[in-house]
């Protein structure tokens, strides 16, 4: 029936590779890559059976009122109060309503981007999606600067902005958000307990500084729906990573999806070390099953889609 299905043996072999820490099967088959438009349409249709990214990309104001109590998506026993600030930042309508693009870039955060020279190419796409408020200015040659949609896990406040302990951390954050202008800032605030005060601080700073950024907070069903889609296609991923979520959402809006910065392996094809993130010293955590994600399996899946022309995965230099 032409549906995307990935054979079990392929997935098993990717797990073996993962254990060995190797990545040598992934030949860099970029030359001769061609979009397979009918497959793109097929995937869009089949994702739509699980979620409508236009709607699930964010809850909207009318879904809640201040004071409502909701259960965390991945932590059902814990609850969160919809504060006044949070409510005031919920969009009236989906920030992705009626938005369609010919080409999109989804930029992951792997160190494989360093020295890639991909900045210009990334910025040339009609719509650029980035993850976890990754810095761009210092890395512009390799990663570009355009950011139309950027995700931010609440933990970023701690990891990259010193939990806003100092005025300078807050200033740095406000500066970073002001650079985004009216791009979409996507904050998964309802996933797990732990980040609620970070989200509140972020919301307060956005309001106080009258930042133009368009906040979005993924729907309560998004992650289950995305997992359901991949499970149905025999890809067993318990917690899709931000990068996989973004690709899945992008299938709704983009005719041609180009992925950069996806490389969850400690070495490149020539055996050279690759940093986990292009911009910090975080270490690889995702090689055991203890980690929340199975990025190497996700990568293998995306690689198969690349080979079939459903998306283009760039893991080398841009010319
Ligand atoms: N990524 C990758 N290889 C890496 C690092 C990241 O393929 N070495 C991709 C993953 O799809 C990841 C995305 O880039 O979800 C963004 O990276 P990061 O900010 O590190 O996401 P995490 O915090 O690790 O994962 P998540 O936000 O999904 O918990």
């Amino acid at each position: 029936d032409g549906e995307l299905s990935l054979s079990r043996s392929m997935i098993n072999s990717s797990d073996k590779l993962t254990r060995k820490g190797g990545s040598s099967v992934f030949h860099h088959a970029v030359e001769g890559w061609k979009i397979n438009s009918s497959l793109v349409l097929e995937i869009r249709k089949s994702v739509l059976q699980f979620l409508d990214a236009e709607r699930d990309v964010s809850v909207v104001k009318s879904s809640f009122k201040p004071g409502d109590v909701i259960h965390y998506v991945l932590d059902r026993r814990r609850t969160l109060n919809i504060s006044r600030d949070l409510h005031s930042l919920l969009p009236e309508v989906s920030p992705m309503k009626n938005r369609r693009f010919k080409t999109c870039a989804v930029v992951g955060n792997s160190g494989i981007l360093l020295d890639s020279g991909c900045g210009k190419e990334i910025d040339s796409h009609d719509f650029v999606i980035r993850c976890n408020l990754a810095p761009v200015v210092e890395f512009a040659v390799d990663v570009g600067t355009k950011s139309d949609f950027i995700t931010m896990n609440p933990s970023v406040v701690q990891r990259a902005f010193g939990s806003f302990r100092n005025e300078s951390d807050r200033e740095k954050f406000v500066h970073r958000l002001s650079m985004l202008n009216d791009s979409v800032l996507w904050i998964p605030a309802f996933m797990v307990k732990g980040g609620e005060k970070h989200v509140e601080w972020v919301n307060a700073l956005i309001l106080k500084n009258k930042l133009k950024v368009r906040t979005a907070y993924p729907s309560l069903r998004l992650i289950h729906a995305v997992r359901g889609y991949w499970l149905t296609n025999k890809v067993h991923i318990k917690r899709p990573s931000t990068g996989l979520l973004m690709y899945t959402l992008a299938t709704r809006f983009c005719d041609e999806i180009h992925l950069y910065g996806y490389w969850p392996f400690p070495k490149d094809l020539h055996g050279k070390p690759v940093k986990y993130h292009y911009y910090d010293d975080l270490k690889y955590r995702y090689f055991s099953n203890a980690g929340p994600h199975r990025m190497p399996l996700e990568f293998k899946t995306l690689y198969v889609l690349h080979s079939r022309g459903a998306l283009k995965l760039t893991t080398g230099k841009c010319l």
Side-chain angles (χ1 to χ4, degrees), residues 60-318:
V60 289
K61 238 191 196 72
S62 56
S63 335
F64 298 117
K65 47 187 189 320
D68 277 355
V69 175
I70 61 169
H71 289 265
Y72 283 100
V73 174
L74 299 172
D75 202 357
R76 297 277 311 152
R77 280 169 307 175
R78 313 294 188 102
T79 57
L80 168 80
N81 273 359
I82 303 287
S83 69
R84 224 161 254 293
D85 277 0
L86 176 56
H87 189 259
S88 72
L89 286 170
L90 298 181
E92 304 272 352
V93 291
S94 166
M96 295 305 292
K97 196 173 166 56
N98 296 331
R99 299 187 75 184
R100 298 293 178 271
F101 310 97
K102 196 170 171 317
T103 77
C104 297
V106 189
V107 188
N109 285 333
S110 166
I112 199 77
L113 281 165
L114 292 171
D115 221 18
S116 68
C118 286
K120 264 207 191 109
E121 185 180 312
I122 291 173
D123 283 353
S124 74
H125 292 287
D126 300 331
F127 194 72
V128 179
I129 302 175
R130 295 182 194 268
C131 301
N132 279 319
L133 217 53
V136 287
V137 176
E138 314 88 291
F139 304 96
V141 175
D142 294 326
V143 311
T145 56
K146 185 172 170 176
S147 315
D148 299 292
F149 187 111
I150 193 159
T151 76
M152 195 199 97
N153 287 346
S155 59
V156 166
V157 172
Q158 207 172 334
R159 270 200 216 148
F161 297 93
S163 293
F164 295 154
R165 264 188 293 273
N166 305 316
E167 183 56 29
S168 62
D169 295 324
R170 294 190 287 272
E171 271 167 18
K172 190 173 131 197
F173 183 77
V174 170
H175 178 69
R176 180 74 185 88
L177 291 202
S178 62
M179 278 167 40
L180 295 172
N181 291 311
D182 60 352
S183 299
V184 178
L185 176 67
W186 189 84
I187 309 176
F190 314 134
M191 295 293 174
V192 283
K193 192 172 168 66
E196 59 278 19
K197 59 178 192 301
H198 296 138
V199 174
E200 281 305 310
W201 296 338
V202 166
N203 291 342
L205 283 176
I206 292 173
L207 290 167
K208 183 173 157 221
N209 293 280
K210 299 194 169 62
L211 297 172
K212 281 195 296 190
V213 72
R214 286 196 274 163
T215 40
Y217 306 84
S219 84
L220 303 176
R221 56 188 299 282
L222 176 73
I223 195 144
H224 296 304
V226 170
R227 185 167 51 196
Y229 166 73
W230 290 105
L231 270 176
T232 305
N233 287 289
K234 301 193 180 63
V235 183
H236 292 263
I237 294 164
K238 265 204 262 165
R239 279 265 307 266
S241 73
T242 304
L244 189 70
L245 282 173
M246 289 303 118
Y247 162 70
T248 315
L249 290 180
T251 60
R252 178 79 171 102
F253 312 110
C254 310
D255 293 339
E256 220 179 277
I257 302 176
H258 294 242
L259 306 182
Y260 304 85
Y262 286 60
W263 189 262
F265 306 103
K267 289 186 178 156
D268 71 9
L269 290 177
H270 312 288
K272 243 181 71 194
V274 177
K275 291 178 72 186
Y276 178 65
H277 280 161
Y278 69 80
Y279 52 87
D280 67 19
D281 291 321
L282 209 68
K283 299 286 175 239
Y284 283 85
R285 299 173 289 156
Y286 296 128
F287 287 90
S288 71
N289 282 332
H293 303 307
R294 296 183 69 193
M295 281 190 202
L297 168 62
E298 293 185 0
F299 180 88
K300 176 75 186 177
T301 305
L302 295 169
Y303 183 77
V304 171
L305 291 171
H306 164 94
S307 315
R308 298 179 59 193
L311 56 85
K312 184 172 174 193
L313 190 55
T314 295
T315 55
K317 290 189 195 295
C318 293

Side-chain angles (χ1 to χ4, degrees), residues 14-53:
S14 101
D15 280 352
K16 268 186 219 123
L17 275 163
T18 305
R19 279 199 289 276
K20 281 194 275 175
S23 49
S24 49
V25 285
F26 304 121
H27 299 294
H28 191 231
V30 164
E31 269 162 55
W33 179 90
K34 243 183 88 206
I35 187 90
N36 178 344
S37 300
S38 58
L39 181 57
V40 166
L41 289 179
E42 223 175 86
I43 292 174
R44 179 177 297 156
K45 222 166 92 189
S46 124
V47 171
L48 264 167
Q49 292 174 357
F50 291 83
L51 71 146
D52 180 351

